[in-house]
Amino acid sequence: YFDEKQCEDNNKILTFQLTNNNLSKKINELYSQAKLYYSNQNLSENLNFNEETLISIIKLLQNYTFLNSKQDILQTLFMKFASSTLKTELSQFYTPISIVEFIISLLNIENMNKLIDPAGGSADFLVGAIKANRKCATNDNIYYWDCSKNAVEVAKLNMIINGDGKSHIYEKDSIENYNDNNNEFDFVITN
């Protein structure tokens, strides 16, 4: 996703494709750039795939685009690869995408609207808001709180997969901190 996003406006050639030259090195450089961009220092230093595995992964994914994919397809991918034990440990209810899309369709989300999900879980409502108006994610106006550290990590992954990753995603108990940031948001979206 990061590779597509970086090449989107300047017609650069994607790094994430099979080449004969230094494939592991190029993919690890791309990984390092993405890690820095998303400010995620919790990730490992490098990807530790052997060349054969890396080639198999790239062959499977290089002909697909994440940027133009429908949310339900990306959500299926997310649900498949996000740790199922992590999601079980959270003991949370995940709103079906059809309901997320319905609720988002009722809102007139404009570029400068400030949004928050104060009990964000996997961040599906914020992903829906980005899909409804992709410019929302570029204006630094999407906020997420959840009291679970694990939920925060799941949300970050979900937001990256769905076109964002630099939103204000915080581990914060919105019930305990109910007075924080009052009257700052145009929309509070949650289940």
Side-chain angles (χ1 to χ4, degrees):
Y1 174 82
F2 174 77
D3 195 21
E4 286 183 43
K5 191 71 175 162
Q6 296 303 307
C7 295
E8 180 179 33
D9 294 330
N10 56 19
N11 296 324
K12 285 175 45 182
I13 296 172
L14 295 176
T15 301
F16 193 82
Q17 60 183 324
L18 289 180
T19 62
N20 293 327
N21 304 337
N22 301 319
L23 185 60
S24 291
K25 181 181 177 190
K26 287 181 181 181
I27 297 302
N28 271 304
E29 286 172 1
L30 181 64
Y31 173 76
S32 294
Q33 292 168 8
K35 182 178 158 184
L36 181 65
Y37 177 81
Y38 292 118
S39 303
N40 194 336
Q41 300 308 314
N42 297 330
L43 298 174
S44 61
E45 190 61 34
N46 289 305
L47 296 174
N48 294 315
F49 294 116
N50 66 41
E51 194 81 9
E52 187 177 311
T53 302
L54 190 57
I55 289 170
S56 295
I57 291 169
I58 293 172
K59 276 184 182 178
L60 285 171
L61 297 175
Q62 72 179 358
N63 294 325
Y64 300 98
T65 176
F66 287 110
L67 289 182
N68 299 320
S69 297
K70 293 184 177 184
Q71 185 177 357
D72 58 341
I73 293 170
L74 292 172
Q75 190 62 21
T76 300
L77 178 69
F78 168 71
M79 296 296 266
K80 176 73 175 164
F81 291 104
S83 169
S84 59
T85 56
L86 176 64
K87 297 183 87 53
T88 303
E89 287 172 12
L90 296 176
S91 299
Q92 294 181 338
F93 172 74
Y94 290 87
T95 309
I97 295 301
S98 57
I99 294 174
V100 169
E101 289 173 346
F102 172 72
I103 290 172
I104 294 296
S105 75
L106 299 175
L107 306 174
N108 184 18
I109 298 172
E110 297 178 7
N111 297 350
M112 296 308 294
N113 288 137
K114 201 168 181 181
L115 315 167
I116 187 169
D117 187 341
S122 60
D124 290 333
F125 280 108
L126 299 182
V127 167
I130 291 170
K131 296 295 182 179
N133 186 340
R134 198 169 271 292
K135 291 181 181 177
C136 285
T138 62
N139 290 325
D140 198 32
N141 56 354
I142 295 178
Y143 289 74
Y144 164 104
W145 297 345
D146 201 289
C147 61
S148 166
K149 181 179 181 175
N150 291 337
V152 169
E153 293 305 314
V154 168
K156 286 178 182 177
L157 175 61
N158 196 15
M159 294 293 278
I160 289 169
I161 288 172
N162 284 284
D164 182 64
K166 297 191 69 98
S167 293
H168 303 278
I169 299 175
Y170 303 112
E171 181 183 343
K172 188 173 191 173
D173 186 330
S174 60
I175 294 172
E176 191 174 287
N177 299 288
Y178 67 92
N179 278 326
D180 291 3
N181 302 92
N182 284 346
N183 302 314
E184 287 187 25
F185 299 100
D186 300 302
F187 294 105
V188 177
I189 310 170
T190 194
N191 69 13

